[in-house]
Amino acid sequence: DPNGITSTPVIDISKGMVYVVAMLSSPIRHELFALRLADGGVAWHHSADPPGADPRVHQQRGALNLAGGNVYITYGGFTGDCGDYHGWVVMAAADGSGAVHGWQVPSRSQGGIWAPPGPVISPKGDVWVETGNSEVVAPDRDQYDGGNAVMRLDAGLSTAADRWVASNWAALNSTDTDLGSLSPALLGDGLVFASGKPGIGYLLRQDHLGGFGGEAFNAQACVTGGPTQGAYGGAAVYGSMVFLPCKDGLAGLRVDVSRPSFTAAWHAATGANTPVVAYGLVWTVAADPAGYRQDWVGTLVGLDPTTGAERARVALGPTPHFPTPAVARGSLYVAGRGAVYAVSVA
């Protein structure tokens, strides 16, 4: 409370439409709205709730994505893991026709898909997500139920075509140190980068994710990890570099695809949110160290992608947690609390 639109919309320029999901009351429900880009008018709207799910305990935080004429939407739970919620990816036709359908994390409860960047769509149309902690804490793999994993779903969301599961998934469940805080990043040469609250970086093979503990490589990527530490948001990829938003500072990781492996190129001193690469620099909004302060004043920071040296610093105003800069026409834009900040760069 308050709710409303809690995720980043997606725009279809060719059709002149903006798609948003809003949590509404009386009764509580989620609806997908198609808004006309020209004037903001509502072209149509209909239910976006996962089939059979209780909308009161599901939160729609992840950014929407658009591919193949469909809008993809993810769901997790609210702070505190309240109620019998599950992680979901659902899809709805971008023309407003047909019913919403989707794929549910096969958990007893929880396993939310809540990272702010939302689902990642490959050029082949596959849907990639990371799942959060689930209810099961027993180390017996026979009881595994879908948490702390990277999932590759088919475009129609009929099945999980492949998965990778952290070998210590049960321990991560028991401490709320889940992988759901980050969306996976697809790299060149058939690799996937994943991380999360533990602050460990994982390189996976796109064509064979490896099941339980079957990553191609792993190493500590953030300096610290834990329930309130590690990586949150989404990583940016630029050439052989991966820029990871750690609560203890943006990490610049250099990937060697021939092994595969990565090494730490640099680590910035300022905590970071999801970065973008633009105008020759890596840009991030400095992270609120407490994570949820309402009075946090954001700072936009520009770093050299090779060395991590700070090249620009611009004070903004009050910002929510997990903001991401947007790039357009020589400027950077950051959503604040009741304002949008525009910073001219080029």
Side-chain angles (χ1 to χ4, degrees):
D1 181 23
N3 280 295
I5 299 171
T6 52
S7 66
T8 302
V10 67
I11 297 175
D12 186 338
I13 294 294
S14 66
K15 292 184 171 57
M17 289 292 178
V18 183
Y19 299 96
V20 301
V21 169
M23 187 174 187
L24 307 177
S25 59
S26 301
I28 293 175
R29 66 199 187 279
H30 297 86
E31 294 213 2
L32 173 64
F33 288 81
L35 311 178
R36 289 186 290 272
L37 184 59
D39 59 12
V42 177
W44 54 262
H45 65 97
H46 62 59
S47 174
D49 282 315
D54 182 353
R56 297 172 298 176
V57 298
H58 285 82
Q59 185 180 43
Q60 203 288 295
R61 161 168 276 171
L64 309 188
N65 210 334
L66 180 70
N70 294 297
V71 180
Y72 290 87
I73 307 162
T74 55
Y75 287 90
F78 288 92
T79 300
D81 289 332
C82 305
D84 184 23
Y85 77 88
H86 298 81
W88 278 91
V89 185
V90 302
M91 59 187 292
D95 62 5
S97 64
V100 171
H101 68 280
W103 177 85
Q104 177 196 305
V105 175
S107 59
R108 295 182 187 176
S109 183
Q110 305 177 24
I113 302 174
W114 62 275
V120 176
I121 313 294
S122 75
K124 297 178 181 179
D126 294 331
V127 181
W128 296 78
V129 295
E130 289 190 46
T131 62
N133 56 285
S134 61
E135 185 181 55
V136 174
V137 295
D140 187 345
R141 289 184 179 181
D142 291 339
Q143 299 184 50
Y144 174 73
D145 66 346
N148 293 306
V150 173
M151 300 285 187
R152 175 168 62 85
L153 312 176
D154 68 290
L157 304 182
S158 60
T159 185
D162 200 0
R163 72 181 183 186
W164 166 84
V165 182
S167 59
N168 61 338
W169 63 268
L172 298 180
N173 277 353
S174 65
T175 57
D176 191 27
T177 311
D178 60 281
L179 300 181
S181 62
L182 201 84
S183 289
L186 303 183
L187 313 183
D189 296 285
L191 295 177
V192 184
F193 180 86
S195 188
K197 292 181 185 178
I200 298 172
Y202 300 92
L203 289 176
L204 318 174
R205 295 181 175 88
Q206 292 184 28
D207 60 354
H208 180 65
L209 292 178
F212 290 92
E215 63 269 16
F217 179 80
N218 77 73
Q220 192 71 32
C222 300
V223 175
T224 56
T228 61
Q229 296 298 313
Y232 287 74
V237 180
Y238 182 70
S240 63
M241 295 290 293
V242 171
F243 305 107
L244 183 66
C246 301
K247 294 288 282 184
D248 53 40
L250 191 69
L253 309 174
R254 182 169 288 108
V255 178
D256 181 349
V257 299
S258 64
R259 290 192 168 183
S261 63
F262 65 79
T263 55
W266 50 264
H267 196 99
T270 303
N273 287 292
T274 299
V276 296
V277 181
Y279 314 123
L281 298 178
V282 185
W283 299 89
T284 184
V285 178
D288 176 357
Y292 298 94
R293 284 173 50 190
Q294 300 296 308
D295 60 345
W296 175 253
V297 176
T299 301
L300 180 67
V301 180
L303 305 171
D304 185 292
T306 303
T307 66
E310 187 175 306
R311 303 300 188 198
R313 174 175 286 261
V314 180
L316 303 174
T319 54
H321 54 290
F322 308 145
T324 305
V327 180
R329 298 181 180 179
S331 294
L332 294 160
Y333 299 87
V334 179
R337 294 188 180 277
V340 176
Y341 307 111
V343 178
S344 179
V345 177

